Amino acid sequence: MVLPAGTVTFVFTDIEGSTDLVRRLGDEAYAAVLAEHQTLVRTAVQAHGGHEVDTQGDSFFVAFESAASALAAAVEIQRVLIDHRWPEGSPVRVRIGLHTGEPVVAAGGYVGLDVNRAARISAVGYGGQILLSQTTRTLAGRSLPQDARLVDLGEHRLKDLQKPERIYQLVQPGLPADFPPIRSLSAVRNNLPLQLTSFIGREREIEEVKALLTKHRLLTLTGPGGSGKTRLAVQVAADVVDGFTDGIWVVELASLTDGALVRQAALTALGLREEQGSRQHDVLIDFLRDRRALIVMDNCEHLLHTCAELADALLQAAPSLSILATSRERLGIAGEVVFAVPTLSLPASGDIHSLAELRSSEAATLFLDRALLGRPTITFSDEAAGPVARIVRQLDGIPLAIELAAAKLKVLSLSQIVERLDNTFRLLTGGSRMAPSRQQTLQAAMDWSYDLLNEEERALLRRVAVFSGGFTLQAAEGIGGGTKGPGSVLDLLTSLVDKSLVIVDHEADDVRYRLLETVRGYAERRLSEAGEAPEMRARHARWFMEWTQGLEPRLFGLDEHVLNRVEREHDNIRAALAYLLQSADRDGALRLANAAFRFWEVRGHWSEGRQWLEAALPDSPADGERDGRALVHIGTLAQYQGDYARARDAAGRALRVFEDAGDIRGVSRAQNILGNVAYYQGDWTEAEQRYKMSLERARHSGEPRDRAGPLANLANIAFHHEAYDEAEQYARESLAAFEATSDRHGRAFVLNLLGLLAEEQDDAGRAQGLFEEGLAIRRILGDRRGIAGSLMNLGRVARAQHAFDRAEALYEESLTIRRELADAFGIAGALASLGEVALLRGDHVRAVTLTRESLTLRTEMGDRVGSIECLELLARSTTDLPAAASLLAAGAAARQAAGAPYRPMERRMVDERVGSVKGALPTAAFTAAWNAGTAMTLDEARKYALNVLP
């Protein structure tokens, strides 16, 4: 839908008393009434050229290219709703508001103050009433609907708290004309301040706060500096004006430095004066005692005791009074309810490529709105979406920080703002001169909060800045312990939470704390200024090294709870490793990296884990056990990534280190890695020899875990040699060893191997059951590489059953995981399997394309067996019969050279294709093509398949 641009008239409608209608009619009957209402409104809108922008529940938001068309549509809407026969005693009456402006069209909607203005005009009316702004009245001119006239209702302050608006009511014969005074702010005594900018988002928070105000007489909004507590409180006060008929007053306290002045500030805000012989306290109570009123006590944190005393006294003396306070911590008196103001909602995680994707983010909407306010001529394209998302995420969705950043677009580009975000506090200066001094820069806002802390609280806030991604109480006690010892940390942390500087996250099995990134950046600066940064970072690194080492045995047992705990602390582990390497503590870095290896392996952080291990590994082994383990871990991760040269080198070095140290368990592990490398490169003979040497050492160690791996690998080799009884025996022995050590990761691996054995022996039902059992274990463990493997195996079963849609879906899901893991070997396998499905569906072009992509990856990895399988799949997929014969012959020759025999299923498919090609070609042509293929080396066959095959 293309929305009108330029001068646009907005129409907002909604049903008055919809809640009562639902109660009277019931859900089902109301749904039918609502549908009828929507049909009638939509028909009238379309008849007059309106563009429906949004419809939610019982409300419509419509745009018109002319004010006259909008008014005509509004009149028709009211007429058809009045004339329609509704359920007895339940007429549907809508209020309609119109306003004209020149909004910006962005991301499939409108941005600007005019949208809010139109909505607010509608909100002050009554069912059956049509209200319009001065601008719409001027543009409509004499083009009013027939017999219609306008009644001037005077100037009114609307609940958007911006400039007063002159409101007109459209009156026409046959439509209701007599209504009570419109429900604007002007109808109630108040001192609510005018706002120069629109209020963005917070719909959910506004409704929650309003609901709390109906149940509780003292509600305190808490949150860190710049989180928008004041703006939210004032907006809520404007929205609830109908419920406080005797007045709403804001008492500004930010500029006060003496608690003795709080009562005077309240008197001034309410327009009262001290009387001779009366105390300030008595004057306030006498005025408020019988009034249904609301007082907003704004910025109480620095005068907390005095504010609490005044609030308590007023609430006890005036039973119809309510108080809405804003503070960085609770007032702490009886009856108080606290609402923690969250930051604005952020764009969805991941890359953002269009402005439309930003629409659901309040933070992004605020940034775009304030950018237009400061620089009206600026235009945003979809290319701006990514930088805007990054900016608001970096600023934690804090309104003050976002407004300050948007203001910088007067002098900086989006990319320049992004580049300067690392120096946030220097960037975000120069706010509105009319704002309180502490809100003119983010630095000042943070200074204000920091200065209100005692020295112990300041020290802990500084120290917890060394954490990345949050922290536990245990970690805070171990690293940040105050001068009174670790035991005092809980009280100090609780105080910082109460003061909105630390956020608490309650998780299923843990309680974690975190700092908003802006607060953390500020605290880091304070830590450096105090000269504590080196000591705290060293303490942080040492603590997480010891913590991870303590969990290592449970990591190898794949305790799901422990894996999740390490996942939550991954950012802290990264920070610790970076510090240890920066400070040249390779011993500490390598011990931490070795301890974290199993987590990286199972959760798929292969590239990162390998990078940390490589960075920490010394050029020459200095500690046999430590360095040998690191080399085995590097070899394991390199093998997963298809970097067989590095895997073989690392495992070979580990083997020498362990042999020199007489470490038979280490020798077993190194031989197993070398066997894996040989297996993946198609040298099954060497693989089998390595696995047997690994198993021999493992049996001497007496540890079940040591022999479980080589046993499973020997089962795999026997499987490929079609020695199924031997394979089953090895697999069962491996399964028992894994179960003896409670290693669910290994158990899932063997279950999948047993499933392959069952499938190869035509027992599809048993195979599927084993694969699904293994997949369930892997999903519980979060083992993404294992999940991808199980999905592939289930895809094989589906493919064999000709359930091609299911097979393709399983392969695609596996491929997605493999790509995210950068698992080249797995990506190649998934592509080839998708090629197989395409071939079975008769899509030869797609089959060839996918298989070539797989062959390219396998060539880069040096995967001989996988390359041969791709050659054979291409031979079955291509319609070029001589080429097919050459590829089949090249595959057969390569298998013989690699010692990689066909499995029965492969043999059947290859023999079938050889027969069909041979029968379709003249004998001489087939023989020539076959001989050409036989003469090819594997490398030549790969090049032919990639560069010559049509």
Side-chain angles (χ1 to χ4, degrees), residues 695-727:
L695 179 59
E696 180 187 357
R697 299 297 194 280
R699 291 197 190 282
H700 281 93
S701 79
E703 287 287 337
R705 179 181 287 118
D706 293 341
R707 61 178 182 269
L711 282 166
N713 290 331
L714 283 167
N716 201 35
I717 292 291
F719 166 69
H720 286 305
H721 287 307
E722 302 174 42
Y724 299 132
D725 290 342
E726 183 182 1

Side-chain angles (χ1 to χ4, degrees), residues 33 36-37 40 80-82 84-88 90-93:
V33 165
E36 290 179 57
H37 152 263
L40 294 171
V80 297
L81 292 177
I82 289 172
H84 189 75
R85 296 186 63 180
W86 301 104
E88 186 176 349
S90 302
V92 172
R93 298 291 179 259

Side-chain angles (χ1 to χ4, degrees), residues 483-504:
T483 58
K484 297 177 182 177
S488 66
V489 169
L490 177 58
D491 292 338
L492 293 171
L493 200 53
T494 302
S495 180
L496 292 175
V497 170
D498 288 341
K499 292 176 170 60
S500 305
L501 289 168
V502 173
I503 296 171
V504 184

Side-chain angles (χ1 to χ4, degrees), residues 409-719:
L409 280 175
K410 297 176 185 176
V411 293
L412 296 173
S413 67
L414 274 175
S415 60
Q416 288 174 320
I417 291 176
V418 170
E419 290 169 4
R420 287 162 171 78
L421 281 177
D422 288 340
N423 203 347
T424 306
F425 291 95
R426 290 185 62 186
L427 171 68
L428 302 186
T429 61
S432 168
R433 292 187 181 90
M434 299 305 294
S437 59
R438 71 181 191 286
Q439 291 182 356
Q440 292 182 25
T441 73
L442 191 58
Q443 174 78 41
M446 288 306 309
D447 285 342
W448 169 269
S449 292
Y450 191 76
D451 290 342
L452 293 175
L453 304 178
N454 63 41
E455 189 49 49
E456 285 285 309
E457 292 167 337
R458 292 175 189 172
L460 184 60
L461 181 65
R462 293 193 302 265
R463 292 169 183 177
V464 296
V466 299
F467 291 107
S468 295
F471 54 95
T472 62
L473 174 61
Q474 180 188 17
E477 289 175 334
I479 294 167
T483 58
K484 297 177 182 177
S488 66
V489 169
L490 177 58
D491 292 338
L492 293 171
L493 200 53
T494 302
S495 180
L496 292 175
V497 170
D498 288 341
K499 292 176 170 60
S500 305
L501 289 168
V502 173
I503 296 171
V504 184
D505 292 321
H506 294 275
E507 300 177 353
D509 56 354
D510 203 0
V511 174
R512 289 181 64 77
Y513 304 86
R514 61 184 169 90
L515 304 179
L516 293 176
E517 195 57 35
T518 45
V519 176
R520 181 171 175 263
Y522 177 86
E524 277 188 309
R525 290 183 58 189
R526 289 289 194 170
L527 186 70
S528 296
E529 290 168 3
E532 297 176 321
E535 179 190 351
M536 289 300 115
R537 296 197 184 285
R539 196 182 294 181
H540 173 275
R542 185 62 54 181
W543 194 91
F544 276 100
M545 183 191 74
E546 294 172 355
W547 179 81
T548 309
Q549 284 183 306
L551 292 178
E552 186 178 5
R554 294 172 65 187
L555 282 173
F556 269 89
L558 292 181
D559 184 315
E560 181 190 1
H561 172 73
V562 173
L563 283 167
N564 291 336
R565 285 176 64 190
V566 176
E567 187 82 67
R568 288 193 288 267
E569 299 296 359
H570 200 185
D571 284 337
N572 280 310
I573 291 171
R574 290 171 174 136
L577 284 164
Y579 174 81
L580 291 167
L581 288 171
Q582 182 184 356
S583 57
D585 184 358
R586 282 195 167 188
D587 176 72
L590 202 53
R591 293 189 185 283
L592 175 52
N594 275 333
F597 160 74
R598 186 65 156 170
F599 162 75
W600 288 326
E601 178 193 22
V602 174
R603 290 292 168 91
H605 302 289
W606 302 337
S607 294
E608 180 178 359
R610 184 177 161 193
Q611 287 167 5
W612 288 120
L613 286 159
E614 297 271 21
L617 187 69
D619 296 331
S620 300
D623 181 312
E625 192 273 341
R626 182 200 68 189
D627 296 350
R629 287 181 65 211
L631 286 163
V632 165
H633 295 158
I634 290 169
T636 300
L637 298 176
Q639 161 212 308
Y640 291 159
Q641 295 177 300
D643 186 352
Y644 299 125
R646 179 54 177 148
R648 183 181 290 276
D649 172 71
R653 288 179 61 193
L655 180 61
R656 293 190 292 275
V657 169
F658 287 131
E659 285 176 337
D660 290 344
D663 184 343
I664 61 172
R665 296 185 67 188
V667 169
S668 174
R669 294 181 66 192
Q671 289 284 19
N672 197 55
I673 297 298
L674 288 167
N676 288 340
V677 174
Y679 170 80
Y680 285 118
Q681 291 190 297
D683 191 340
W684 294 351
T685 300
E686 182 188 347
E688 185 173 13
Q689 291 172 349
R690 295 285 188 184
Y691 291 148
K692 285 182 175 179
M693 287 188 283
S694 174
L695 179 59
E696 180 187 357
R697 299 297 194 280
R699 291 197 190 282
H700 281 93
S701 79
E703 287 287 337
R705 179 181 287 118
D706 293 341
R707 61 178 182 269
L711 282 166
N713 290 331
L714 283 167
N716 201 35
I717 292 291
F719 166 69

